[in-house]
Amino acid sequence: MGDSRITKVVIVGGGTAGWMAAAALSRTMENLSIRLIESDEIGTVGVGEATIPAIRLFNALIGIDEDEFIRETRGTFKLGIQFHDWGRIGDVYMHAFGQIGRSLGMLSFPQYWLRGRAEGVAGRLGDYSLNETAAHANRFARLPQIPSTSLDGIAYAFHFDAALYAAYLRKIAERAGVERTEGKIASVRRNAETGHIEAVVLEKGTAIDGELFIDCSGFRALLIEEALGTGFEDWTHWLPCDRAIAVPSENAGPARPYTQAIAHKAGWQWRIPLQHRTGNGHVYCSDFISEDEATAVLLANVEGRPLAEPRTLRFRTGMRSQAWNFNVVALGLASGFLEPLESTSIHLIQNGIAKLLSHFPDRDFDAANIDAYNRRIRFDYERIRDFVILHYHANERTDSPFWIRCREMEIPETLAQKIDLFRSQGQIVREGDELFVEIGWFQVLAGQNIEPKGYHPMADALTREELSGFFADIGTIVAGAASRLPTHEDFIAQHCAAGVPA
Ligand SMILES: Cc1cc2nc3c(=O)[nH]c(=O)nc-3n(C[C@H](O)[C@H](O)[C@H](O)COP(=O)(O)OP(=O)(O)OC[C@H]3O[C@@H](n4cnc5c(N)ncnc54)[C@H](O)[C@@H]3O)c2cc1C
């Protein structure tokens, strides 16, 4: 067994995916020689600034000090995503992280809320979410539980500068022994018998050999596609946006502890507040709006002074038919792309790394192991895809052909089943270890105005007075807890301010 262990890993690409993989492997695997190759000439995609709470598990895995990480990436805290104009123009709702209210007996909070709302004794769903209440008040603290109660505290993720994040991870990885080579890969050598990649060859002629190759080369997919021709499953018929214009701007006020996603006539715009600037971008479908118009829409909706020329990125939504093929595992943009609406790309990198660690191969590259990895990655991609499609499909907008097309399109069967189940009794079933939990789906389904026909009969166990008291108590606890938190700005200033901007 010892003889067939992998000893040499080559990571192709030094964007977020490459350095995340390098940091994770070097901090968790013994006796591996890891080399990362990146090309300064090609550069990185350089966007990817909003995350979800699972990133804290990744940080813990590689032993990151959270305050240092935020300081170095000029980050802020993120409590959720606020959606504007999605279901209908004028709608605002939040997909807040963390729990909302609390379950009673066997029944989850949203079921009581559906009854409470129907009977006029419940407020907005967000009134029972500490995350959402704190977000509206621009407040934040690390608070795992609301003191003296059984209610969960704050669940959080981060906004950060993607380039600084990669640089920060590079320091960690290099300290842990990862070797970096700068240079452009010009060709790839494959073994004629096994089809495995044996080496990549740089433009200047140097060959770098390895046993396991991790393709983090971005949209180019240098190994998994260009060399191995693995194939790509296109999902643009469900997620038609294919471009983004990105521009940073000056902060126009204190950094909000949440991302904003504002729907426009043929796509949507993100606002991501960092300590030293705000990241803005307009994701759109080029069939419905020109680049000039999309740029104008973005610039008209940027809050502070733009700090650079707008830059266009092109993409195609979908996933690699196999994320792992022969001795190549693709991570990041090389493995597929889901647009950033729910900030899931960096999570998918982390998820790919975690699953690679649990399926770490030996030099036999057992097919059953590779198949299991690929099945699991596909499941994760497909379920996140469904969640993102929901935001587009469940709309009542009549103001533009883009939204009408999204509403009228066929959707994946797995999503149709989720929507049907929700419509019948407000139920959501989380299958397997799919990323988004019931309360996340609930917020978006309800936020996009999908109305359940009823609620679970067990919610009738409380009298109307008991139900009313239940909501009043939780609302009071949540509002009180939020008001006692420091402001987001003060929390950062006290714990993790970056100092003078670069
Ligand atoms: C518009 C947009 C917005 C996004 N927003 C978010 C977000 O808010 N949250 C989120 O989680 N994700 C987001 N993402 C996704 C996120 O940007 C990516 O998942 C992340 O940056 C990973 O990129 P990467 O490392 O796979 O690729 P890249 O950053 O493109 O890196 C590719 C690397 O490969 C190297 N390379 C390529 N070819 C060669 C060669 N021939 N020789 C040597 N080296 C080579 C390059 O030099 C580079 O180092 C967004 C993406 C887009 C397009």
Side-chain angles (χ1 to χ4, degrees):
M1 156 113 196
D3 282 344
S4 63
R5 280 197 200 284
I6 300 263
T7 57
K8 236 180 188 183
V9 176
V10 175
I11 298 172
V12 171
T16 308
W19 286 113
M20 281 178 80
L25 259 61
S26 60
R27 293 297 289 251
T28 53
M29 300 286 294
E30 296 293 325
N31 306 320
L32 269 191
S33 126
I34 304 170
R35 178 167 297 277
L36 183 146
I37 307 164
E38 64 179 321
S39 157
D40 290 345
E41 185 191 322
I42 294 175
T44 64
V45 67
V47 278
E49 303 183 321
T51 57
I52 58 172
I55 193 170
R56 295 178 57 213
L57 299 174
F58 182 80
N59 287 352
L61 177 80
I62 60 174
I64 280 182
D65 173 86
E66 192 169 287
D67 284 342
E68 178 190 89
F69 148 76
I70 295 171
R71 235 182 332 265
E72 295 234 358
T73 60
R74 302 189 192 285
T76 62
F77 294 91
K78 173 178 170 186
L79 298 172
I81 306 172
Q82 187 184 56
F83 293 92
H84 293 252
D85 298 333
W86 280 81
R88 298 184 284 242
I89 289 180
D91 282 359
V92 182
Y93 73 91
M94 187 172 274
H95 171 196
F97 304 137
Q99 269 315 319
I100 299 187
R102 71 177 171 89
S103 51
L104 268 185
M106 281 177 65
L107 205 57
S108 67
F109 182 80
Q111 289 297 328
Y112 292 101
W113 181 77
L114 287 172
R115 179 184 157 203
R117 193 187 51 161
E119 297 185 12
V121 297
R124 294 173 50 261
L125 185 63
D127 294 346
Y128 311 104
S129 155
L130 179 58
N131 265 51
E132 181 164 344
T133 309
H136 289 315
N138 264 6
R139 292 182 179 275
F140 176 80
R142 296 185 183 109
L143 185 76
Q145 189 150 16
I146 303 183
S148 319
T149 73
S150 58
L151 297 183
D152 286 354
I154 294 275
Y156 62 93
F158 313 100
H159 303 120
F160 52 63
D161 183 315
L164 296 177
Y165 184 51
Y168 180 64
L169 292 175
R170 176 178 163 187
K171 274 198 278 186
I172 292 174
E174 287 188 323
R175 252 186 269 140
V178 173
E179 308 257 12
R180 171 181 179 269
T181 299
E182 199 289 312
K184 192 165 162 189
I185 296 168
S187 62
V188 171
R189 271 194 215 142
R190 289 181 74 180
N191 182 297
E193 241 173 71
T194 62
H196 284 196
I197 290 184
E198 289 179 333
V200 291
V201 184
L202 303 183
E203 262 181 352
K204 53 193 177 207
T206 322
I208 296 173
D209 64 324
E211 294 154 354
L212 171 67
F213 287 81
I214 304 186
D215 186 352
C216 301
S217 63
F219 288 126
R220 286 167 196 81
L222 205 65
L223 307 185
I224 195 85
E225 199 58 60
E226 278 187 27
L228 300 182
T230 302
F232 186 81
E233 204 168 292
D234 191 316
W235 290 338
T236 44
H237 50 294
W238 287 317
L239 291 167
C241 289
D242 57 355
R243 303 262 199 291
I245 316 259
V247 71
S249 63
E250 279 178 353
N251 282 338
R256 298 179 183 102
Y258 55 93
T259 304
Q260 286 179 300
I262 305 156
H264 292 307
K265 82 167 201 189
W268 65 280
Q269 172 192 347
W270 76 76
R271 279 195 198 131
I272 298 180
L274 306 180
Q275 292 186 31
H276 59 312
R277 62 169 170 81
T278 297
N280 308 276
H282 184 185
V283 174
Y284 65 95
C285 175
S286 61
D287 291 347
F288 292 88
I289 186 174
S290 70
E291 187 169 323
D292 285 350
E293 198 187 338
T295 308
V297 168
L298 177 64
L299 292 176
N301 288 283
V302 163
E303 291 176 312
R305 190 175 61 87
L307 294 170
E309 283 302 308
R311 152 173 108 86
T312 305
L313 298 120
R314 292 167 178 238
F315 52 80
R316 187 154 65 109
T317 296
M319 67 175 288
R320 208 58 60 199
S321 317
Q322 291 165 268
W324 184 340
N325 198 7
F326 295 97
N327 61 337
V328 174
V329 177
L331 294 174
L333 301 172
S335 71
F337 185 66
L338 284 167
E339 59 154 280
L341 187 57
E342 284 282 352
S343 318
T344 43
S345 286
I346 291 172
H347 175 76
L348 281 164
I349 299 171
Q350 162 184 350
N351 180 55
I353 293 169
K355 290 194 167 118
L356 172 59
L357 287 173
S358 77
H359 289 267
F360 204 81
D362 57 27
R363 289 201 305 276
D364 293 338
F365 287 96
D366 189 36
N369 188 41
I370 296 176
D371 290 349
Y373 177 90
N374 283 331
R375 267 198 310 276
R376 295 178 72 190
I377 296 293
R378 169 171 290 279
F379 177 83
D380 299 331
Y381 256 94
E382 288 180 346
R383 294 311 161 112
I384 295 172
R385 173 203 68 193
D386 286 0
F387 191 55
V388 176
I389 295 172
L390 170 65
H391 301 66
Y392 283 97
H393 177 64
N395 84 79
E396 293 162 51
R397 291 181 56 153
T398 51
D399 58 297
S400 85
F402 172 78
W403 290 103
I404 294 168
R405 175 177 150 188
C406 290
R407 181 169 59 248
E408 291 178 350
M409 72 187 170
E410 291 276 319
I411 55 172
E413 188 53 31
T414 38
L415 174 58
Q417 285 166 359
K418 268 223 158 71
I419 294 176
D420 289 346
L421 181 63
F422 182 75
R423 270 194 219 283
S424 74
Q425 238 182 20
Q427 297 247 40
I428 294 150
V429 176
R430 181 181 182 208
E431 281 168 29
D433 57 355
E434 68 178 289
L435 176 63
F436 289 103
V437 295
E438 289 88 343
I439 196 64
W441 279 92
F442 192 93
Q443 290 174 86
V444 175
L445 285 156
Q448 299 283 144
N449 307 307
I450 297 186
E451 282 294 328
K453 287 205 281 280
Y455 54 84
H456 196 284
M458 274 198 275
D460 286 330
L462 298 185
T463 65
R464 194 167 188 278
E465 288 65 40
E466 284 169 338
L467 191 68
S468 173
F470 177 58
F471 287 114
D473 286 351
I474 293 178
T476 305
I477 292 170
V478 164
S483 71
R484 287 187 290 277
L485 299 173
T487 66
H488 183 220
E489 214 181 4
D490 284 347
F491 187 89
I492 290 174
Q494 208 183 337
H495 297 278
C496 43
V500 184

